[in-house]
Amino acid sequence: MTPTLLEGTPVPEVDILFLGSPGVGKATFLSQIEHVHNGRLNLSAPRKRIFAPTEPLSWDVTLFGRPYKFRIHVSTSSLFVDPFPAEPAFTIIAFSVSSRESLHNAQFYWRKQLSMHYSDLEHNMPVMLLGLKRDERTEKRMEDGTFECVMPQEALRVAQEMRCDRYAECSALTGELMWETLEDITRTAAMTTTENGGMTQYSCSVM
């Protein structure tokens, strides 16, 4: 039975797209969600590895004094071919901070595919660029002098170019910024159920 706010009133349900190329860390991130409590990640808790889920992952959250049900639809391919919902409310596009190629794919493939498939919703659907594997970032430089990994200021600039509403990054392995990232995700998702929605008018806020 679906939990209710009041008798006969259904809990708000929010469909979230979680896009990104294979290998960027989406599965590890999702496997850690249930282990984040009271502002920190329980690193001693056993992790359930999530492989190419065939159904949306349900995530029950209480926020602003009311319950919500989030359904996370994860991309399982390098292409935009999964059976995504017709009207998602919020999209997260992930990349790995240790892979410049994954950021390039986020900007020039996943963002463009999102716009192509959901052109009617684009002006009302908040989009977050999410950097995963933060623990793998180093300051090592390549031969041309640029950093080998994606630096925060570079990712923020790309997020602005992608017309994203938010940028966040974290490490699901060490727990660094996991709580803050999840808090930003849940607040944005919850706000999509309100009259004002979860958009920030492309200011690309950083949590």
Side-chain angles (χ1 to χ4, degrees):
M1 180 180 296
T2 303
T4 57
L5 296 170
L6 297 173
E7 186 175 355
T9 304
V11 171
E13 299 182 354
V14 181
D15 285 305
I16 302 172
L17 298 187
F18 193 23
L19 309 178
S21 300
V24 300
K26 300 190 303 294
T28 302
F29 177 82
L30 292 174
S31 71
Q32 292 286 50
I33 288 178
E34 63 182 299
H35 302 309
V36 178
H37 301 285
N38 299 322
R40 61 185 302 178
L41 171 65
N42 180 6
L43 295 174
S44 64
R47 291 203 305 263
K48 294 185 300 182
R49 185 70 176 176
I50 299 176
F51 294 99
T54 56
E55 296 182 357
L57 299 174
S58 293
W59 182 16
D60 294 320
V61 175
T62 298
L63 196 65
F64 308 129
R66 60 188 299 186
Y68 297 86
K69 179 178 287 293
F70 300 154
R71 287 189 296 262
I72 304 178
H73 305 259
V74 188
S75 62
T76 61
S77 168
S78 59
L79 301 176
F80 201 101
V81 294
D82 291 275
F84 295 130
E87 296 186 5
F90 176 32
T91 296
I92 303 166
I93 303 178
F95 73 98
S96 167
V97 300
S98 61
S99 170
R100 289 187 166 276
E101 181 181 3
S102 70
L103 179 61
H104 182 275
N105 290 341
Q107 182 175 14
F108 295 105
Y109 180 75
W110 293 105
R111 186 64 177 95
K112 290 187 177 181
Q113 288 293 314
L114 181 68
S115 296
M116 182 185 305
H117 286 82
Y118 296 104
S119 58
D120 293 341
L121 303 176
E122 190 171 16
H123 296 295
N124 296 312
M125 177 171 55
V127 179
M128 169 188 280
L129 180 64
L130 174 60
L132 298 175
K133 300 187 178 181
R134 178 184 166 95
D135 58 288
E136 295 184 2
R137 176 180 283 132
T138 69
E139 294 188 358
K140 182 179 178 181
R141 293 179 182 268
M142 297 183 287
E143 292 184 359
D144 61 1
T146 58
F147 288 103
E148 190 175 80
C149 294
V150 180
M151 294 292 117
Q153 63 274 16
E154 179 183 2
L156 178 58
R157 174 182 56 77
V158 171
Q160 292 170 336
E161 292 175 356
M162 292 170 61
R163 297 178 68 81
C164 292
D165 298 272
R166 287 167 174 78
Y167 173 70
E169 60 180 49
C170 66
S171 168
L173 184 65
T174 67
E176 184 182 13
L177 295 179
M178 271 288 292
W179 173 264
E180 292 85 350
T181 298
L182 288 175
E183 186 176 44
D184 201 27
I185 289 172
T186 55
R187 286 181 177 274
T188 301
M191 289 299 293
T192 64
T193 68
T194 68
E195 183 177 353
N196 293 330
M199 299 286 284
T200 58
Q201 297 301 314
Y202 304 116
S203 62
C204 194
S205 62
V206 182
M207 60 90 202

